[in-house]
Amino acid sequence: MYTLWLVGGIVILLLVKKLFDQKTEKRKKDAASSSSATQESDDSSSSGWDYEVFLSFRGEDTRTNFTDHLYNALLDKGIHTFRDNEALRIGEKIRPALLSAIQQSKIAIIIFSKDYASSKWCLDELAEIAESMKERGQGQIKVMPVFYNVDPSEVRNQTGRYGNAFREHEKKSDQDQEILKQWKKALEKVGELKGCDLKNTANGHEGELIKLIVNEVWNELRKNPLSVPNSMFGIHSHVEKMMKLLNNASEDRPIVGIHGLGGIGKTTIARELGELTDFVLPPMIG
């Protein structure tokens, strides 16, 4: 049994090393052919996805409670999730790195809390997400609105707190009217989508709502798996060998640890394993 685990681990390590070497080589070529500014632009438009989920939320409302619990629940499920760090914000303009994170995410979860619309930063994120919905065509971002103690009609029609927030924005003399229109249009568009309502979907139970969201994200990712890059073609034969080693007659439960830097293909390898058998891997390491 120990021998089987050892051989399986070696195969996985070899695959990960190959992916890591390819990624390192690509980075070297990018650095040699472009400046850091150009490289950032290239990264945001490259093929594939950097994140599986992008979280948009107002930190003062939900950062240390609902959003934090949701973020960790997604990570526990092995879902690569982007959560903005407010400490890194500079001014009120949405920074290029954040735009790139939105553009390179498969799913956007927008947590509409009571004061979400009072934040220009949140509204800029929302406008970018709404724009991504129409730009990508078949590969468009999947948007999942969460109405956290907010009625969907408040978001859609800008009434209640959302209406008050917009009146405050309109009072500011330096506020660009065109941007206001973009924000309103984005709220209308996303507010019309079917989402999760804390009060009506989970009877006010946050833990239950988080379970429902994570399950929906998981099912969506399984339905539309991350595209496998050309560099991974031919991996199937290696995976088949792994499955033969793991699918033994022993009653012991085999455990495979996949360790390495983020973005080198650990999750993709585990989906490849899942496509070939009903065998389920335990949570991955690293």
Side-chain angles (χ1 to χ4, degrees):
M1 188 65 187
Y2 175 77
T3 302
L4 292 177
W5 289 355
L6 180 61
V7 174
I10 292 173
V11 172
I12 288 294
L13 289 174
L14 289 175
L15 291 174
V16 172
K17 183 178 184 300
K18 180 180 179 181
L19 292 171
F20 180 74
D21 290 343
Q22 290 172 341
K23 197 171 183 100
T24 301
E25 184 63 26
K26 181 179 182 300
R27 285 177 177 171
K28 289 180 179 179
K29 291 180 180 179
D30 289 342
S33 61
S34 63
S35 64
S36 59
T38 303
Q39 183 177 352
E40 180 176 309
S41 175
D42 290 342
D43 289 342
S44 67
S45 61
S46 61
S47 60
W49 311 99
D50 289 339
Y51 299 98
E52 291 170 304
V53 173
F54 178 92
L55 291 179
S56 178
F57 62 97
R58 178 160 173 74
E60 293 179 14
D61 291 351
T62 65
R63 175 175 290 279
T64 60
N65 41 67
F66 182 79
T67 296
D68 186 60
H69 298 154
L70 175 59
Y71 175 73
N72 283 286
L74 290 167
L75 291 187
D76 288 343
K77 194 71 171 179
I79 299 171
H80 194 196
T81 305
F82 179 92
R83 177 177 61 173
D84 182 34
N85 185 349
E86 287 178 322
L88 299 179
R89 295 181 178 181
I90 303 176
E92 284 292 331
K93 292 292 183 180
I94 189 168
R95 67 182 187 272
L98 198 57
L99 289 176
S100 177
I102 293 172
Q103 293 163 0
Q104 294 299 307
S105 296
K106 286 187 67 69
I107 298 173
I109 298 177
I110 305 170
I111 303 172
F112 288 116
S113 55
K114 291 181 178 180
D115 291 323
Y116 182 94
S118 66
S119 168
K120 292 183 178 181
W121 187 277
C122 289
L123 292 172
D124 279 342
E125 284 183 359
L126 179 67
E128 180 62 28
I129 291 170
E131 188 68 19
S132 294
M133 288 173 65
K134 69 179 183 181
E135 280 185 348
R136 295 190 186 178
Q138 292 184 346
Q140 68 181 220
I141 191 170
K142 169 76 173 181
V143 178
M144 298 181 179
V146 177
F147 302 99
Y148 184 77
N149 292 323
V150 170
D151 192 281
S153 64
E154 289 186 48
V155 176
R156 185 168 56 250
N157 302 319
Q158 293 93 62
T159 59
R161 284 179 176 263
Y162 280 64
N164 294 336
F166 267 85
R167 282 189 285 275
E168 291 298 317
H169 291 314
E170 290 169 349
K171 289 179 182 179
K172 298 177 181 178
S173 59
D174 62 341
Q175 181 60 59
D176 189 320
Q177 295 302 308
E178 188 60 33
I179 291 179
L180 273 174
K181 291 180 181 179
Q182 292 176 6
W183 290 346
K184 288 184 177 181
K185 188 175 180 180
L187 284 169
E188 292 170 2
K189 184 174 184 178
V190 177
E192 291 177 349
L193 299 175
K194 181 181 179 181
C196 296
D197 185 338
L198 176 61
K199 180 180 179 180
N200 298 316
T201 304
N203 295 320
H205 297 283
E206 294 188 8
E208 184 64 27
L209 181 60
I210 287 173
K211 288 181 182 178
L212 292 173
I213 295 171
V214 172
N215 287 337
E216 185 174 351
V217 169
W218 179 252
N219 290 333
E220 181 66 26
L221 291 174
R222 286 176 63 86
K223 182 174 67 178
N224 298 306
L226 294 177
S227 57
V228 180
N230 292 334
S231 60
M232 294 197 68
F233 287 169
I235 193 176
H236 302 284
S237 61
H238 297 293
V239 174
E240 288 175 351
K241 292 178 182 178
M242 272 292 300
M243 294 313 303
K244 289 179 180 178
L245 291 172
L246 294 173
N247 189 21
N248 58 77
S250 172
E251 294 181 358
D252 294 335
R253 181 180 178 85
I255 298 175
V256 176
I258 303 179
H259 181 73
L261 298 175
I264 63 173
K266 299 190 300 297
T267 302
T268 305
I269 290 173
R271 278 182 186 147
E272 286 290 330
L273 290 172
E275 289 175 359
L276 294 171
T277 181
D278 292 331
F279 180 86
V280 178
L281 282 176
M284 293 179 294
I285 302 172

